Amino acid sequence: MEISGLPVELWRLILSYLRLPDLGRCSLVCRAWYELILSLDNTRWRQLCLGCIECRHPNWPNQPDVEPQSWREAFKQHYVASKTWTKNAQDFESSNCFYLFRRKKDRHVLRVGQGCEFDTLRAALASAGVYDRIVLLPGVYEEQSEIILKVPVEIVGQGKLGDVALLVSIDQHCPTTRLCNVVFMPAWFTPVVYKTTSGHVQFDNCNFENGQLQIHAPGTCQVKFCTFNQSSVHFHSVALGVLENCEFTGSENASVTIEGIPSSKRNWACKHLTTLAKSHCMLQASDPALCNVPKRGGWGGPPARNVRTCKIVVGGDQSNLLPASKTQLVLEKAGEKEAEVNSRLYTAKEGEAMTLETDSSDSELSTSSENEDDDRSMYKLSYRAHSLSHMLAQVIHSRPQTSGLTALQRDLELKTLQQELQRDKEAQSLASSLQGCLIRKCLFRDGKGGVFVCSQGRAKLEGSVFRELTYAVRCIQNSKIIMLKNDIHHCKASGIFLRLAAGGLIADNNIHSNCEAGVDIRKGANPLILCNKIHSGLRSGIVVLGNGKGIIRSNQIYGNKEAGIYILYNGNPIVSGNHIFQGLAAGIAVNENGRGQIIENVIRENQWGGADIRRGGDPVLRSNLICCGYSDGVVVGERGKGLIEGNTIYGNKGCGVWIMSSSLPHITNNRIGHNSIYGVAVFCRKDDANDYLANQGGNENFNDEGEAASWENDLDSEDERLTSRRPISVALVESNSINHNGAAGLYVKSSEALNIIANAIHANHDSGVAVLQSSQLTRIANNSISCNSLGGVLIESEARVELRGNGIYDNSSHGITSKGDGVIVENDIVGNRGCGLQLLQTADMKVTKNRIQSFWDYGIVMLDQTKGLVQENLIFQGRSKKTILQQVSNAEDCIVQNNKLLTFKSKSDVAWTLENPPARPHIEGSTRGTSMATNSQKVTTMSTRIAARMDGGCRNNGSIFCTIL
């Protein structure tokens, strides 16, 4: 009859009494009836699905309270899967229509139990024919010897799960079989309850108690809706086995063991299992779970706690960015004011002079009146753009226009797994591969181990939960594992172990709250780790050691108690595109000869250093944004090495870069600005410095579950180290922009030699460079030191310094103040508010061939017990008409000779300029700094404006860590 003949509600009531075959027939009547049958999803289809003894809730055991998107579809999938074991009939190739003449299988039902035709399972099997169904009535069935299964049969328990128990050991010798609704327990003579070496076995809705399930190649298995209590599954070189919606509890060892390379010899079921597995693949483009993946925000996942926020803003409409707090809005206004002041500094057109006016200092400390400005214009000493003027221009014009907003936001976003797979064919191939064992939507809990893969085994884990285990996954001996969308938490050791050249893909997992590392990579393991959330661990997020490698990309790593990523003992991963934030220790720690390439990461809001390098650590740290940390941006501790290049180190509460003088870093082409203390600080090695944040990376237990940690045999030879770097024998700070820091731009209290070359040190809130102690020579050459709130360069009495070829301009106090020893040669010292050069106390300096002008004070001042030689300097007259003041206790020890004075006669005189040579600094191939910045251009752009709350100042003139100690 027509559908319209009755109300829809009444139709649904009538149809709710139909059995499955009748529902199928009704759906074939017409489209209207088909849609009516589909509308029964939450009533009859749900009832059929939950009432089936062969399956459980479609989202059991992980989400039994969450309803599936379609009960009908879930029931259909299970029904189709439950028939896999019957698909072993050979396809006849002689004729496409030959199946019409095939005899239909006659299946018999054999009943076993009290009052039935068979008392034991063995007796029923002896009488069973091919594909017969054996029904076990409620009871316990025990066999005293192993059962050999020779014919394909289906064994089903009657009643509820638990009513039928089998104490048996079954060895399958037939092509296929199925067991359903049965509890398996081991017989007295063996722990193995079931074994197959060639055929296919299917388990639906079964329990395994204290036993083992063994699958040997070319055998296969399909296990669904089963519970393993203190039981385990062993795969030996299996081409393909499927575990779906199973629960593993209380294991004494690994719940699932996959051993051996997948066999090339396959049985009939492999192609059917492959088709079934791919139809449910979690990475299908049509899968709503993938299509509706929530877009990660610019800074990644949710914060672990209430912490100071960090915001990146580009001028213009900010409606699409993260909401700003009141504090950020205040800082934003301060930034606008700073931009207005910076705008007074300008770069002239090509061929014209670049003017840096003293009263337009970024520090805003100029107090000159308009009359003084007029007078000063008369004595103005202009100088052409020097070799580092492009760096100052970047400081001044560091904020891109609104049109760059979209690109900036795109750069800040983490890539989704889909984006990563599109650009990485190797990852795409791994994600789509299917070999060995497929474990999907299973629960592993309250036991020792989850999954153990060894001896070139292959496994794929999707949508499973691992909790409260000793470890979740262990992969060793050239094995490969693919892990997608799993949840791994509260493990007593590390979540995932990879050893002995293991590899694979670990992607889009949620790994959190583990007692040791979230992921532990060592002994040559080389996995691909993409788009995971690794957080809230009681130790580090990821550790790489003992020759471990790997590619760690596009992950959110946050809220871990120790380092977000810890690299040591020759660990050498590639770490790129990650957001590492809100950790309770360092963002990335490289220790004990660790290496690695750390590229284009966002490292922010960590309690200790954004990156911490010490004790032989030798990484490449390139093009990262390291910002808003609660301590220093980068720490290079005792015996630390590494290339630190092209990073933006911004808005940290401590120093931008903190260096111990016993280290040997190469720090080049970084932007180091707006940090609360020093831009770059170099400190002496002290007796108590051995314990200085020795646990910065963490107190990780690097013994492998009690096995001895012997790393000597795992270390690479020195010949395998990166050879593309420029070798250095002295710590080198070169070509950096160091600006707007809360104390000195560069602070040195060192016992080792140091080279400071070609840096732009600008607008810091103390001296540009302060050398308090330098028992070996500190070489300061070809730098631009300008517009700092105090002097340009301060040299204390215990320092040995060479100042050569620097441009020291427009600082708010003296250009150079020295109480120490050394040479000051060929510098331009112009426009500073105090003296050009001041020698005090016991200074012993050789001052030659400098060009000096002070508008308000003496060009050169020598006082107290000053010694040395002052000759062949060119001194330009200022408003005060003061040139050289010499008031020393012993004039014979201080020689002043052959200096030249240029005086200003009238307003009609041609303006003075610095030429022959032009304004310093001079750098051969001055575009070098620009070319080196190519890799860091992206991170430089994205850091154009970062608003962060930076309260507090320099405590006791040292790093914030010194205060902690």
Side-chain angles (χ1 to χ4, degrees):
M1 61 184 294
E2 293 293 332
I3 293 294
S4 58
L6 289 174
V8 174
E9 292 78 10
L10 188 56
W11 275 121
R12 289 175 179 169
L13 178 62
I14 295 171
L15 295 174
S16 67
Y17 290 93
L18 296 185
R19 297 177 304 160
L20 180 62
D22 296 326
L23 286 173
R25 295 186 186 100
C26 289
S27 67
L28 297 176
V29 173
C30 63
R31 185 172 184 82
W33 278 83
Y34 175 74
E35 292 177 353
L36 179 62
I37 299 300
L38 289 183
S39 71
L40 304 176
D41 193 78
N42 290 321
T43 54
R44 184 55 177 161
W45 289 113
R46 183 178 188 275
Q47 185 181 12
L48 285 172
C49 189
L50 295 179
C52 178
I53 66 168
E54 299 178 356
C55 66
R56 307 188 191 186
H57 190 287
N59 290 324
W60 183 88
N62 294 327
Q63 295 177 306
D65 298 329
V66 179
E67 292 199 354
Q69 291 184 349
S70 169
W71 285 99
R72 176 182 172 276
E73 186 64 26
F75 185 63
K76 174 186 174 183
Q77 288 178 3
H78 174 73
Y79 182 83
V80 171
S82 67
K83 303 303 179 184
T84 303
W85 74 286
T86 63
K87 297 180 180 179
N88 68 315
Q90 296 295 321
D91 294 328
F92 293 92
E93 298 179 359
S94 58
S95 173
N96 290 332
C97 60
F98 194 79
Y99 71 94
L100 295 173
F101 302 96
R102 247 184 252 166
R103 182 179 177 183
K104 188 175 181 179
K105 303 184 185 83
D106 294 324
R107 297 186 61 190
H108 300 93
V109 177
L110 287 69
R111 298 185 179 274
V112 180
Q114 188 175 2
C116 298
E117 52 187 313
F118 299 102
D119 293 330
T120 65
L121 176 61
R122 188 186 297 273
L125 288 172
S127 301
V130 176
Y131 298 105
D132 282 351
R133 181 183 179 98
I134 299 175
V135 178
L136 303 175
L137 271 61
V140 178
Y141 301 87
E142 183 176 6
E143 298 292 341
Q144 299 300 316
S145 61
E146 186 178 64
I147 294 178
I148 306 298
L149 199 59
K150 297 181 179 180
V151 294
V153 293
E154 183 180 26
I155 302 173
V156 180
Q158 182 174 299
K160 296 180 180 179
L161 179 62
D163 291 347
V164 177
L166 284 177
L167 281 73
V168 296
S169 176
I170 300 176
D171 188 355
Q172 177 183 335
H173 289 183
C174 59
T176 182
T177 194
R178 179 173 184 256
L179 302 101
C180 176
N181 204 41
V182 175
V183 177
F184 288 91
M185 290 183 281
W188 62 270
F189 53 87
T190 177
V192 179
V193 296
Y194 199 96
K195 179 174 71 172
T196 180
T197 56
S198 59
H200 172 72
V201 60
Q202 182 170 331
F203 294 93
D204 289 309
N205 197 33
C206 294
N207 281 4
F208 292 82
E209 301 285 341
N210 302 295
Q212 293 180 11
L213 171 60
Q214 293 187 358
I215 313 296
H216 296 258
T220 57
C221 77
Q222 181 182 352
V223 185
K224 194 166 185 179
F225 296 115
C226 293
T227 298
F228 293 79
N229 182 26
Q230 295 184 342
S231 301
S232 59
V233 184
H234 295 257
F235 294 90
H236 299 271
S237 299
V238 172
L240 183 58
V242 178
L243 304 177
E244 281 190 284
N245 297 91
C246 294
E247 182 180 18
F248 296 82
T249 61
S251 63
E252 295 182 357
N253 291 296
S255 297
V256 180
T257 300
I258 301 106
E259 180 180 2
I261 189 168
S263 173
S264 59
K265 187 177 180 182
R266 297 169 176 253
N267 68 12
W268 65 269
C270 282
K271 65 177 182 180
H272 300 289
L273 290 176
T274 301
T275 302
L276 187 68
K278 289 184 177 180
S279 67
H280 301 161
C281 179
M282 301 188 75
L283 285 179
Q284 287 186 94
S286 59
D287 189 348
L290 180 63
C291 298
N292 298 326
V293 170
K295 208 170 189 181
R296 289 182 173 91
W299 292 123
R305 60 194 178 281
N306 292 328
V307 295
R308 178 169 61 106
T309 58
C310 167
K311 179 188 168 197
I312 295 185
V313 181
V314 180
D317 183 14
Q318 301 169 16
S319 59
N320 295 325
L321 294 175
L322 298 174
S325 66
K326 293 182 179 179
T327 303
Q328 289 170 330
L329 291 173
V330 171
L331 286 164
E332 195 172 314
K333 292 178 181 178
E336 292 172 359
K337 184 177 180 182
E338 176 190 303
E340 181 181 350
V341 174
N342 279 339
S343 65
R344 300 178 195 171
L345 296 167
Y346 64 93
T347 304
K349 295 181 180 179
E350 185 176 354
E352 296 182 2
M354 177 178 180
T355 306
L356 297 172
E357 297 186 274
T358 309
D359 62 343
S360 60
S361 166
D362 285 18
S363 306
E364 300 185 23
L365 295 180
S366 176
T367 58
S368 59
S369 66
E370 293 182 5
N371 292 334
E372 287 178 328
D373 290 341
D374 292 339
D375 291 340
R376 189 182 172 203
S377 64
M378 296 169 54
Y379 296 92
K380 181 66 182 177
L381 177 58
S382 61
Y383 43 89
R384 295 184 180 277
H386 52 73
S387 296
L388 297 181
S389 59
H390 65 280
M391 293 177 114
L392 296 178
Q394 290 173 2
V395 172
I396 298 165
H397 305 290
S398 59
R399 294 169 178 80
Q401 301 301 317
T402 308
S403 59
L405 180 61
T406 303
L408 172 60
Q409 289 177 314
R410 184 172 60 250
D411 287 339
L412 293 178
E413 288 181 354
L414 282 165
K415 288 183 173 61
T416 63
L417 179 57
Q418 191 174 21
Q419 291 170 330
E420 284 287 354
L421 295 181
Q422 286 173 351
R423 75 169 189 162
D424 190 335
K425 298 303 180 184
E426 179 186 358
Q428 191 177 86
S429 175
L430 283 171
S432 61
S433 64
L434 189 61
Q435 275 189 311
C437 179
L438 171 62
I439 301 173
R440 179 184 289 154
K441 296 182 180 179
C442 294
L443 171 63
F444 298 80
R445 63 179 178 87
D446 303 315
K448 181 176 182 181
V451 177
F452 179 46
V453 190
C454 61
S455 302
Q456 303 183 62
R458 300 289 186 271
K460 187 172 187 176
L461 282 61
E462 293 183 350
S464 297
V465 175
F466 300 80
R467 60 181 171 86
E468 296 172 349
L469 304 163
T470 300
Y471 66 87
V473 177
R474 188 179 182 89
C475 184
I476 65 173
Q477 297 167 339
N478 291 97
S479 300
K480 281 187 170 52
I481 191 161
I482 299 162
M483 299 185 64
L484 304 172
K485 300 179 183 296
N486 302 282
D487 197 347
I488 300 167
H489 60 94
H490 292 96
C491 294
K492 294 171 185 163
S494 296
I496 302 171
F497 288 87
L498 296 111
R499 305 281 188 279
L500 301 173
L505 173 66
I506 300 171
D508 212 11
N509 302 283
N510 187 18
I511 304 169
H512 65 96
S513 308
N514 298 291
C515 292
E516 300 286 341
V519 182
D520 186 314
I521 305 167
R522 63 180 83 182
K523 296 182 180 178
N526 189 19
L528 182 56
I529 302 176
L530 301 178
C531 304
N532 302 280
K533 289 183 179 179
I534 304 173
H535 61 99
S536 308
L538 301 184
R539 293 277 176 103
S540 298
I542 299 175
V543 295
V544 186
L545 65 154
N547 261 3
K549 299 177 183 176
I551 296 173
I552 302 169
R553 198 166 68 221
S554 298
N555 300 280
Q556 297 178 67
I557 303 172
Y558 61 94
N560 296 288
K561 191 172 182 180
E562 295 177 359
I565 298 178
Y566 199 4
I567 305 169
L568 68 167
Y569 296 117
N570 262 34
N572 190 17
I574 298 173
V575 181
S576 67
N578 303 281
H579 284 198
I580 304 168
F581 58 100
Q582 297 175 5
L584 300 181
I588 296 179
V590 187
N591 211 330
E592 303 294 349
N593 300 307
R595 291 178 283 157
Q597 298 182 53
I598 302 165
I599 303 169
E600 293 184 358
N601 302 280
V602 175
I603 305 171
R604 64 180 177 92
E605 296 178 60
N606 296 287
Q607 291 289 334
W608 293 0
D612 184 272
I613 305 165
R614 63 183 71 241
R615 293 176 183 165
D618 190 12
V620 174
L621 189 70
R622 179 180 289 132
S623 301
N624 302 281
L625 173 59
I626 303 172
C627 65
C628 303
Y630 289 88
S631 190
D632 303 327
V634 176
V635 175
V636 185
E638 181 183 7
R639 294 187 289 109
K641 301 177 184 178
L643 173 62
I644 302 170
E645 178 184 20
N647 304 282
T648 295
I649 304 169
Y650 200 108
N652 299 286
K653 277 196 169 183
C655 305
V657 180
W658 193 98
I659 305 170
M660 187 174 286
S661 62
S662 59
S663 61
L664 193 65
H666 183 184
I667 300 171
T668 179
N669 207 55
N670 302 282
R671 294 187 59 181
I672 304 169
H674 296 270
N675 300 287
S676 291
I677 312 182
Y678 307 112
V680 178
V682 184
F683 286 93
C684 290
R685 178 177 180 178
K686 299 177 182 178
D687 292 338
D688 60 350
N690 291 328
D691 298 324
Y692 165 76
L693 296 183
N695 299 324
Q696 174 101 341
N699 296 317
E700 205 80 51
N701 176 16
F702 295 113
N703 289 343
D704 193 357
E705 295 184 52
E707 63 181 283
S710 177
W711 306 113
E712 291 82 356
N713 296 329
D714 290 329
L715 300 182
D716 284 342
S717 67
E718 287 293 324
D719 294 338
E720 295 181 12
R721 290 188 174 273
L722 296 175
T723 58
S724 59
R725 300 192 213 164
R726 194 174 89 197
I728 59 172
S729 57
V730 175
L732 176 59
V733 180
E734 68 166 346
S735 301
N736 302 284
S737 175
I738 305 171
N739 63 84
H740 297 94
N741 296 288
L746 204 153
Y747 180 93
V748 181
K749 191 175 182 181
S750 173
S751 58
E752 304 289 339
L754 174 67
N755 290 337
I756 303 168
I757 312 293
N759 301 281
I761 304 170
H762 177 75
N764 298 285
H765 292 177
D766 202 290
S767 299
V769 178
V771 185
L772 274 69
Q773 177 182 328
S774 178
S775 54
Q776 296 192 41
L777 183 65
T778 295
R779 183 168 176 256
I780 305 172
N782 298 328
N783 300 280
S784 171
I785 305 170
S786 63
C787 299
N788 296 287
S789 297
L790 293 182
V793 180
L794 172 64
I795 303 168
E796 289 291 348
S797 56
E798 298 182 10
R800 293 180 55 218
V801 174
E802 176 187 339
L803 276 163
R804 186 184 297 272
N806 302 283
I808 303 170
Y809 306 120
D810 297 317
N811 297 286
S812 296
S813 184
H814 308 299
I816 299 174
T817 299
S818 176
K819 303 172 187 176
D821 303 339
V823 296
I824 302 174
V825 181
E826 296 180 350
N827 301 280
D828 290 344
I829 309 168
V830 175
N832 302 286
R833 290 190 59 84
C835 300
L837 171 62
Q838 188 179 51
L839 306 179
L840 304 174
Q841 297 179 7
T842 58
D844 187 358
M845 305 294 291
K846 180 180 179 182
V847 182
T848 61
K849 298 182 180 179
N850 301 282
R851 296 183 292 192
I852 303 171
Q853 183 195 44
S854 175
F855 179 68
W856 289 275
D857 211 328
Y858 286 97
I860 300 176
V861 172
M862 294 164 285
L863 303 175
D864 307 324
Q865 291 84 38
T866 297
K867 301 178 182 179
L869 173 65
V870 179
Q871 69 175 14
E872 298 181 13
N873 299 285
L874 178 59
I875 302 173
F876 296 86
Q877 178 186 342
R879 181 188 177 204
S880 64
K881 297 181 172 57
K882 299 175 182 178
T883 55
I884 298 177
L885 173 64
Q886 183 177 7
Q887 293 181 353
V888 298
S889 58
N890 188 351
E892 294 180 359
D893 293 333
C894 185
I895 301 172
V896 180
Q897 63 185 19
N898 300 329
N899 297 287
K900 184 178 180 180
L901 173 64
L902 289 183
T903 60
F904 181 79
K905 295 181 180 179
S906 67
K907 294 183 179 181
S908 61
D909 284 356
V910 177
W912 288 332
T913 60
L914 293 176
E915 55 187 7
N916 297 323
R920 297 183 175 98
H922 306 147
I923 300 174
E924 295 181 5
S926 59
T927 58
R928 177 174 176 268
T930 305
S931 63
M932 290 173 64
T934 302
N935 290 333
S936 64
Q937 187 172 8
K938 182 189 299 184
V939 75
T940 298
T941 302
M942 85 165 117
S943 65
T944 50
R945 183 171 174 192
I946 303 176
R949 203 181 80 196
M950 297 176 286
D951 49 33
C954 179
R955 300 175 176 86
N956 299 326
N957 294 324
S959 167
I960 194 168
F961 294 131
C962 297
T963 304
I964 294 173
L965 290 175

